[in-house]
Amino acid sequence: MTIAILGGTGPQGRGLALRFARAGVPVTLGSRDGGRAEQAAAELQGQLEGGAARIAGRDIRGAVAAADEMVILAVPASAHDATLESIRDLLEGKVLIDIVVPLAEGDPKAVAMPEAGSATEAAQALLGERIPVVGALHNVSATVLNDLEHRINCDVLVCGNDLAAKEKVMALIEKLDVRAYNCGPAVNARCIEAITPILIRLNISRKVPFTHAGIRIWAPDA
């Protein structure tokens, strides 16, 4: 099953491509510049050992067409709606995984939610209910994703209005050796996306003795 990662030449997209390819999932990176995507794909493939799945690169529409079912949107928030408009006709029968966090311009320690309430909800409103949108992977550090020497250090919170789509996305994410949790409908993306600037604030604080922290769900003590 080939997945597409749009914005795949950015830090988060590159990290996800590495992780999924290493887990045996073929990836097609999508970029406005298809040549740049091809170059990034070759560079990433070179970082992986033999036995990893193939990473390819194409332009945005070509990457979506190459995806069997799952398309990950990892573009900057400023390009969120325009990118979806440009590929909407190709998403029929596929699931959009929206990982975009609408951070405030000039201040990554705050969000600037769109009128719809969250990036996930904005995507669902733009695409219509026939194309399921699942919000996920908002709170995972790009630095962590690109560090293949270590496991991903957090759980993944997943939300969306289509249960079957969420279950497929959770199964895909769990190939990365992480735990994914169904956190309810798309409206809950307002809370999940807003966690990211909190983590950024903590990770850059001189009073916190670590960086690149994530969210983990813990069971009560026995």
Side-chain angles (χ1 to χ4, degrees), residues 201-213:
R201 180 179 291 275
L202 292 173
N203 287 332
I204 66 176
S205 172
R206 295 180 180 179
K207 295 184 178 180
V208 177
F210 49 78
T211 59
H212 312 304

Side-chain angles (χ1 to χ4, degrees), residues 156-191:
V156 176
L157 309 182
V158 177
C159 63
N161 297 333
D162 186 309
L163 178 58
K166 281 190 289 187
E167 290 176 341
K168 290 178 181 178
V169 171
M170 291 168 66
L172 174 67
I173 290 170
E174 287 174 352
K175 291 180 182 293
L176 303 182
D177 195 26
V178 297
R179 183 166 294 180
Y181 288 93
N182 178 1
C183 293
V187 67
N188 288 350
R190 302 178 188 190
C191 303

Side-chain angles (χ1 to χ4, degrees), residues 54-71:
R54 180 170 180 262
I55 303 176
R58 302 183 67 175
D59 63 24
I60 290 283
R61 288 180 62 83
V64 176
D68 295 315
E69 187 177 13
M70 304 285 188
V71 176

Side-chain angles (χ1 to χ4, degrees), residues 1-5 16-29 45 48 51-57 63 66-72 172 175:
M1 177 187 72
T2 297
I3 65 171
I5 303 177
L16 286 172
L18 286 170
R19 295 278 180 173
F20 278 118
R22 190 175 69 167
V25 179
V27 176
T28 298
L29 302 181
Q45 197 80 64
L48 296 170
R54 180 170 180 262
I55 303 176
D68 295 315
E69 187 177 13
M70 304 285 188
V71 176
I72 299 176
L172 174 67
K175 291 180 182 293

Side-chain angles (χ1 to χ4, degrees), residues 46-190:
Q47 296 180 40
L48 296 170
E49 298 179 356
R54 180 170 180 262
I55 303 176
R58 302 183 67 175
D59 63 24
I60 290 283
R61 288 180 62 83
V64 176
D68 295 315
E69 187 177 13
M70 304 285 188
V71 176
I72 299 176
L73 186 65
V75 300
S78 59
H80 182 270
D81 290 3
T83 302
L84 291 178
E85 290 279 11
S86 72
I87 62 170
R88 177 164 48 183
D89 61 313
L90 301 177
L91 289 173
E92 192 74 31
K94 299 180 181 182
V95 176
L96 181 81
I97 306 171
D98 196 326
I99 74 170
V100 176
V101 176
L103 297 174
E105 185 175 356
D107 185 7
K109 303 184 300 299
V111 287
M113 292 299 191
E115 186 176 347
S118 65
T120 302
E121 291 171 278
Q124 190 67 80
L126 191 153
L127 297 176
E129 292 301 321
R130 290 184 60 181
I131 299 171
V133 175
V134 176
L137 295 162
H138 298 107
N139 314 135
V140 186
S141 162
T143 298
V144 169
L145 288 173
N146 282 277
D147 182 4
L148 297 183
E149 296 298 317
H150 297 90
R151 292 180 58 188
I152 295 173
N153 64 336
C154 62
D155 298 325
V156 176
L157 309 182
V158 177
C159 63
N161 297 333
D162 186 309
L163 178 58
K166 281 190 289 187
E167 290 176 341
K168 290 178 181 178
V169 171
M170 291 168 66
L172 174 67
I173 290 170
E174 287 174 352
K175 291 180 182 293
L176 303 182
D177 195 26
V178 297
R179 183 166 294 180
Y181 288 93
N182 178 1
C183 293
V187 67
N188 288 350
R190 302 178 188 190

